[in-house]
Amino acid sequence: MRFGILGETKAWRDDGAEVPLGGPARRALLTLLLVHPGEVVSVDRLAEEVDPGGELSAHAVQSQVSRLRTALGQAAAIERAGTGYRIVVEPEAVDTSRFERLAGQGRAALRDGDAEQAVVLLREALALWRGPALAEITEGETARAAAVRLDELRLGALEDRFEAALRLGEHRAAVPELRALVGRHPLREQLAALLMRALFAEGGQAEALVVFEQTRRRLAEELGADPSAELISLHRELLSSEAAPAPAAPPAQLTSFVGRASELNETVELLRVARLVTVVGPGGAGKTRLAVELPRGGAEEVCFVELAPLRDGTALPQALLSALGLREGGLHLDSARPPLDRLVTALSGRALLLVLDNCEHLIEETAALVARLLASCPRLRVLATSREPLGIIGESLQYVGPLGEDAAVRLFTDRAAAVRRGLTADPALVRRICAALDGLPLAIELTAARLRTLEIADLAGRLDDLLGIAARGTRTADQRHRTLRSVVAWGWDLLSEPERQAARRFAVFVGGASAEVAAEVCDADGGTLESLADKSFLQVGRGRYRMLETIRTFAAEQLAAAGEQDMAGRAHARYVRRVVRTADPHLRTARQLEWLPVVSAVHDDLPAAVRWAVAAQEVPTALELLASASAHLWIRGTAASIAPHAAALLRTIGERPPAGLGEEYAVCVLLAASGTGGQPLWQQHRLAAERALAVAWPGERAGRYPVALLAWMLRSAGQSEAEERRSAFELVSAQRDCPEPWARAVARYVSGFGFLGTGDIPGAERAFTLAGEEFGALGERWGAALALDMRAGLAAGRGDRVEAVALTDRALTLAEQLGALEDVADLLVNRGDQYAADGRPEAAVDYARAAELATGAGSADALAAALRGQADLALSGGDLVAAERLYSEALERIDPRWIKALANRVRALAGLAHVAELRGDHATAQLRFRTAAGTAAEVGDGAPAVLRLLGLPAAVVEALNRG
């Protein structure tokens, strides 16, 4: 007989039949006896826990035991022993014993590294649970203690099972259940750690960090405790990994790869000896699929960039930065580096295969960009797909033409079997169909999908009518293109009208869409979308629908022919606007990390929505899209990618803001100015935009987009005109009593610079501290990081290096959470400077990590700062050769136009002067000190004090004064 007390108490005979146990008192009695099989439970304990607070007599217990014996029969003996009873059964007969044995074995297998066996054992153990342990007894000390112990063991087994699953790569399946468990057990750190790891493995770095923050807050509020060392260590590991964004992966494929094995192998071999390989062939030949398959056996790191959605070749560098997961600027918004320079820096020492898919419409711009990158980045390899070669030196070509007869038949048969199980067909008929389709893989796939509703003989007959089966010689690319287009058009004609409507409207999506969003924008139901996927008009991968570019081009033509471009464009823009509008207020709160990925999901579709709105003269829609997305663009450092569209909108608007949209107009000016060559636009529209912003934010009431205030101040701070900086300062400072809390915090932050300008260092420190506290109260990280950075600089300026390091640590955590690599590198250099001043070895570690991060971020200025720090260490260690080389490398990379780089430029120049002085070359030393002093004088009359605040040690300032 078997017994179960992990849930409702039950007993089963060996044949599986359930034993009727009777009423609740009898089941409770059996439960107590089974908690510890073979152990005596006193009559008093049985009476007390079966009927808490009642007056169950010893006689009544004896009566219930007698009835229980009758129910169980000879299979289990309940014996009288002294003053109590015990049940005599084998431990394995009780589910609790089996559970504990299996859970222990599963944990041992996990400890031994056998995750697969661990999963099997732990799942078997957990399957024994049918509900709460000891469910028949709700009160009583013995039962309560036993139930708590069993529940703890169950949670431990669950944690072990998830640990094993994560080791086997089953992250996605684990996330929903882990979320639910963390919700039920918010103080259980191991569950939180497992959820963080699962989320991170699925690309949800921000979500993983949110889980840590929520757990940390709960522990503090409910237990007054900090997270464990293990959870803190995991948090740091995730932050470190967050600072190294993963390149865009190739799109997921749900079908087998058929018929291109030889071309695949040839391309792999070409890439072993050539740094640029272009896969050339007609549309529909399978160039993209070959490129998708190639990385599986190729380079260690791959970045896949789809160029088909791009309409302007000038956006190529931004597209590559985005695909690499890199920001276009730091949190200060003041880097003047063009995107191409950042790309070169980021890729200069990186071993990477860059896949550029569908280059033909931007062939000249792509060729120029690839030539520059290959010349500057020796470890970079490029695989391009195009209908024509790039035409640059060193290019190797891999031609992809129609499939051979046998390969075409295999592809058709494979795809046909997917839609028609058990299909048998005359091989000659299949060959005839593939010949009619010119062996083009896309045409074959679209045609095979028709077998869901057509017989193969009917399919062949229709193709005869459509294409003709006359004997063909060698086909030209143009003829094959007509064949493919005819097949697409034929497949299109066979779609139902709801399917055609959904397909043509889907053409407005650039980055694909989830089923829910596609249904909304296309005015279609889920069944229609699934049918389009079945017929190969849509592809499905990673939970999203996407459309092959060949089909998307055809669908876009049908959209125009149907006169639905504005209808679909408006629906698409409405969806994107809703997402960015909804997210915007959350980006200034503690939920910032939760909402940043939400907007990132529509990042590729934002430019398309703005482009439609500009073309359709929907100025309010375009302005609202840009303004609502602006906080995300600035926080994520991707504003430059939208700058061309903002500039196009400004050309439509002119210099007069539309009525009621002055604030949106000001945001548009800021975004347009963030792109390469944006300075003329800034000067042209600045005054009108500033007036509009002042009207929107008068001080006593709030405008709509508080982040515009900080962006306006940061943009103006980098300008050369003192009047421009002053007016921006006054505009933002006026928000000190604004009802919008984030705007008030910005005003506190900006007022700190006013105190600095008058030399009131204590006043500045009070202002930055108050700003940081107000940003912190909101849980917002961008503003808090900026305020902490300024406070750290002030602490360093007064010689309090312990405080400077502590503040920098806090700023680092926030910058890392935002993925701001450039700012992380800057902060590491700042901390390294404090360590170096105390002679601590950690300085070298910080400088080295800063150099690595700066290179990965493509930030030449941050890299220059790290090199300058390393040069300082070399100089203090007496290695003059290394010091001179590192200082010189730093100066080569520093942008002299960037105000934030001034301190490092001065320090590098002064360092070179020291090198010359130590070598006894006093004339060169004097000359270099004068150059450094002249550079420092760019700050103005208060140069020494300001340079100290920028991080220059007193010895350097003194040397500059001498110079």
Side-chain angles (χ1 to χ4, degrees):
M1 183 172 285
R2 293 181 297 108
F3 299 91
I5 57 175
L6 296 177
E8 182 184 355
T9 298
K10 289 182 178 292
W12 300 271
R13 294 191 177 90
D14 291 341
D15 61 3
E18 185 175 340
V19 177
L21 297 175
R26 225 168 297 160
R27 292 196 303 274
L29 182 68
L30 178 59
T31 303
L32 286 167
L33 293 172
L34 289 170
V35 168
H36 298 292
E39 294 186 11
V40 177
V41 184
S42 70
V43 171
D44 291 342
R45 176 65 68 188
L46 289 171
E48 179 183 337
E49 300 211 22
V50 168
D51 186 21
E55 297 183 2
L56 191 66
S57 65
H59 177 73
V61 171
Q62 183 180 10
S63 175
Q64 293 292 343
V65 168
S66 176
R67 295 176 185 177
L68 190 56
R69 284 173 174 154
T70 301
L72 297 177
Q74 299 299 316
I78 300 178
E79 300 178 344
R80 180 72 187 231
T83 60
Y85 294 92
R86 67 183 174 196
I87 188 168
V88 182
V89 295
E90 292 294 327
E92 281 288 301
V94 185
D95 58 2
T96 52
S97 297
R98 295 198 304 279
F99 164 73
E100 291 191 47
R101 174 180 57 80
L102 290 166
Q105 291 173 344
R107 174 164 292 184
L110 187 62
R111 189 170 53 247
D112 293 340
D114 191 348
E116 291 185 6
Q117 180 65 10
V119 167
V120 172
L121 291 166
L122 291 163
R123 283 180 176 161
E124 185 180 351
L126 291 164
L128 295 169
W129 285 73
R130 296 166 290 104
L134 315 186
E136 305 295 345
I137 307 174
T138 57
E139 299 183 38
E141 183 180 337
T142 301
R144 203 161 42 236
V148 168
R149 188 183 75 86
L150 287 167
D151 285 338
E152 180 65 24
L153 289 174
R154 183 190 191 189
L155 279 173
L158 278 167
E159 290 168 346
D160 289 342
R161 192 199 81 191
F162 283 116
E163 174 65 36
L166 295 190
R167 292 187 190 181
L168 294 174
E170 299 172 3
H171 309 96
R172 181 170 299 178
V175 168
E177 193 173 351
L178 279 170
R179 282 192 192 279
L181 284 169
V182 170
R184 292 198 295 271
H185 306 280
L187 300 178
R188 197 167 180 97
E189 294 183 69
Q190 181 61 19
L191 286 174
L194 288 163
L195 177 57
M196 289 165 63
R197 287 168 52 199
L199 288 168
F200 181 80
E202 285 298 300
Q205 293 93 330
E207 293 177 88
L209 294 171
V210 169
V211 171
F212 173 82
E213 185 61 26
Q214 291 172 338
T215 304
R216 184 200 63 76
R217 191 178 300 124
R218 277 285 184 83
L219 288 168
E221 292 174 353
E222 299 187 26
L223 302 180
D226 293 325
S228 65
E230 291 78 10
L231 195 62
I232 291 173
S233 177
L234 174 61
H235 180 237
R236 287 174 178 163
E237 181 182 339
L238 296 186
L239 287 174
S240 176
S241 299
E242 171 85 349
Q253 304 296 311
L254 298 182
T255 56
S256 57
F257 182 60
V258 178
R260 292 290 188 200
S262 61
E263 289 95 335
L264 182 63
N265 292 333
E266 288 170 8
T267 309
V268 170
E269 289 304 314
L270 278 175
L271 279 169
R272 294 187 196 281
V273 296
R275 294 180 57 216
L276 169 61
V277 175
T278 303
V279 180
V280 180
K287 301 184 297 295
T288 297
R289 184 61 188 267
L290 181 65
V292 168
E293 294 294 326
L294 185 70
R296 296 180 183 177
E300 293 180 0
E301 191 175 23
V302 178
C303 179
F304 193 96
V305 191
E306 297 185 63
L307 301 185
L310 294 183
R311 297 291 178 267
D312 183 357
T314 61
L316 269 172
Q318 279 99 347
L320 266 63
L321 281 175
S322 177
L324 286 164
L326 302 181
R327 300 167 60 94
E328 294 155 358
L331 296 177
H332 290 85
L333 314 182
D334 51 3
S335 175
R337 295 285 184 176
L340 184 53
D341 286 356
R342 298 183 73 89
L343 272 176
V344 169
T345 301
L347 297 175
S348 58
R350 192 168 178 179
L352 180 89
L353 174 62
L354 181 64
V355 181
L356 303 177
D357 190 35
N358 290 314
C359 303
E360 54 272 353
H361 64 303
L362 301 172
I363 197 71
E364 292 183 5
E365 296 92 338
T366 303
L369 176 65
V370 168
R372 168 72 187 279
L373 291 177
L374 289 174
S376 305
C377 310
R379 301 181 68 194
L380 177 70
R381 295 184 298 158
V382 176
L383 176 73
T385 74
S386 177
R387 296 184 185 182
E388 61 178 294
L390 298 185
I392 60 179
I393 296 174
E395 179 181 29
S396 294
L397 299 180
Q398 171 66 59
Y399 180 72
V400 176
L403 288 171
E405 186 178 34
D406 291 341
V409 169
R410 287 200 308 274
L411 178 62
F412 183 90
T413 304
D414 180 85
R415 300 304 190 255
V419 299
R420 191 86 169 264
R421 295 294 178 190
L423 175 71
T424 58
D426 180 359
L429 189 59
V430 174
R431 290 181 184 278
R432 182 176 143 201
I433 289 171
C434 292
L437 298 172
D438 288 322
L440 290 172
L442 179 56
I444 290 172
E445 294 199 10
L446 288 169
T447 303
R450 304 264 65 82
L451 289 174
R452 183 179 295 277
T453 55
L454 291 175
E455 295 298 327
I456 193 164
D458 294 334
L459 183 68
R462 297 197 184 193
L463 281 176
D464 282 347
D465 295 337
L466 179 69
L467 303 173
I469 304 295
R472 297 186 174 96
T474 301
R475 303 278 286 165
T476 67
D478 185 57
Q479 288 171 318
R480 286 192 293 267
H481 176 73
R482 289 200 297 271
T483 296
L484 177 61
R485 184 173 179 82
S486 297
V487 172
V488 174
W490 174 53
W492 185 274
D493 291 339
L494 294 178
L495 298 177
S496 67
E497 178 51 36
E499 289 171 338
R500 284 197 293 269
Q501 173 187 293
R504 62 179 178 255
R505 293 182 181 180
F506 193 90
V508 299
F509 287 105
V510 174
S514 66
E516 181 182 1
V517 170
E520 174 193 338
V521 172
C522 301
D523 191 20
D525 57 34
T528 299
L529 295 171
E530 290 175 8
S531 179
L532 286 172
D534 289 340
K535 296 170 182 176
S536 297
F537 275 87
L538 291 179
Q539 293 187 316
V540 186
R542 298 187 179 124
R544 294 174 70 83
Y545 287 109
R546 59 190 294 271
M547 188 175 268
L548 288 176
E549 189 58 25
T550 301
I551 297 176
R552 185 169 176 260
T553 300
F554 184 90
E557 293 172 1
Q558 302 306 308
L559 185 68
E564 295 177 349
Q565 284 174 305
D566 281 347
M567 178 188 300
R570 184 171 289 104
H572 177 251
R574 186 167 54 240
Y575 151 68
V576 176
R577 183 176 59 184
R578 184 179 71 243
V579 172
V580 294
R581 262 186 180 174
T582 303
D584 180 60
H586 297 292
L587 299 182
R588 301 185 298 279
T589 71
R591 300 186 66 189
Q592 187 177 57
L593 296 182
E594 295 176 54
W595 283 90
L596 284 169
V598 173
V599 186
S600 293
V602 299
H603 180 75
D604 290 339
D605 281 284
L606 177 64
V610 174
R611 189 165 54 242
W612 169 82
V614 173
Q617 297 290 304
E618 293 276 358
V619 170
T621 298
L623 284 172
E624 289 167 7
L625 279 164
L626 290 174
S628 298
S630 62
H632 177 270
L633 292 168
W634 283 317
I635 293 172
R636 280 299 196 210
T638 56
S641 63
I642 206 72
H645 306 286
L649 181 56
L650 285 179
R651 288 192 289 272
T652 298
I653 295 172
E655 297 180 33
R656 179 171 298 184
L661 295 169
E663 189 175 358
E664 287 82 353
Y665 169 83
V667 172
C668 185
V669 171
L670 281 165
L671 291 172
S674 66
T676 304
Q679 186 63 19
L681 284 169
W682 171 259
Q683 294 301 337
Q684 179 184 355
H685 297 273
R686 183 187 67 81
L687 290 176
E690 186 172 56
R691 284 193 294 268
L693 205 56
V695 170
W697 290 88
E700 71 276 4
R701 59 177 173 80
R704 291 184 289 274
Y705 305 101
V707 177
L709 294 168
L710 181 56
W712 191 268
M713 185 64 212
L714 293 174
R715 172 75 195 183
S716 300
Q719 303 305 305
S720 58
E721 295 294 331
E723 177 62 26
E724 189 173 322
R725 295 197 298 270
R726 184 191 61 78
S727 61
F729 175 83
E730 291 176 351
L731 168 64
V732 181
S733 296
Q735 311 308 315
R736 284 187 293 268
D737 298 319
C738 179
E740 211 291 325
W742 198 86
R744 285 200 309 273
V746 170
R748 308 289 186 211
Y749 173 72
V750 169
S751 68
F753 294 96
F755 289 115
L756 283 179
T758 61
D760 185 356
I761 304 303
E765 190 150 17
R766 285 193 301 273
F768 290 131
T769 300
L770 184 57
E773 289 173 352
E774 293 187 357
F775 284 126
L778 293 169
E780 199 281 306
R781 295 160 179 82
W782 179 22
L786 294 176
L788 287 166
D789 188 20
M790 288 305 303
R791 288 180 61 196
L794 292 171
R798 66 171 186 270
D800 190 346
R801 289 191 288 273
V802 173
E803 177 72 2
V805 167
L807 292 167
T808 301
D809 283 344
R810 291 168 59 191
L812 267 169
T813 298
L814 299 177
E816 286 171 330
Q817 289 177 358
L818 294 173
L821 271 69
E822 183 173 349
D823 298 271
V824 170
D826 276 335
L827 290 164
L828 284 169
V829 170
N830 293 345
R831 190 173 70 181
D833 289 342
Q834 304 312 312
Y835 287 151
D838 282 337
R840 293 175 58 177
E842 293 96 323
V845 176
D846 274 357
Y847 291 144
R849 186 178 173 221
E852 180 183 354
L853 291 178
T855 300
S859 174
D861 292 294
L863 176 57
L867 292 172
R868 188 274 308 155
Q870 291 175 325
D872 288 346
L873 293 182
L875 180 61
S876 64
D879 189 345
L880 301 186
V881 173
E884 185 171 39
R885 174 178 57 81
L886 290 165
Y887 281 133
S888 299
E889 288 182 18
L891 285 171
E892 288 173 5
R893 288 174 167 82
I894 290 175
D895 185 348
R897 299 166 296 172
W898 195 25
I899 188 67
K900 274 200 73 196
L902 178 63
N904 283 304
R905 188 161 174 248
V906 171
R907 291 184 71 161
L909 289 166
L912 285 173
H914 278 300
V915 169
E917 195 171 47
L918 290 170
R919 284 176 171 161
D921 186 352
H922 301 295
T924 300
Q926 188 71 8
L927 178 61
R928 288 175 173 173
F929 272 126
R930 285 176 183 167
T931 304
T935 302
E938 296 175 16
V939 175
D941 293 337
V946 174
L947 290 173
R948 286 291 302 278
L949 291 174
L950 289 174
L952 265 70
V956 174
V957 176
E958 181 182 346
L960 294 177
N961 290 335
R962 292 201 312 269

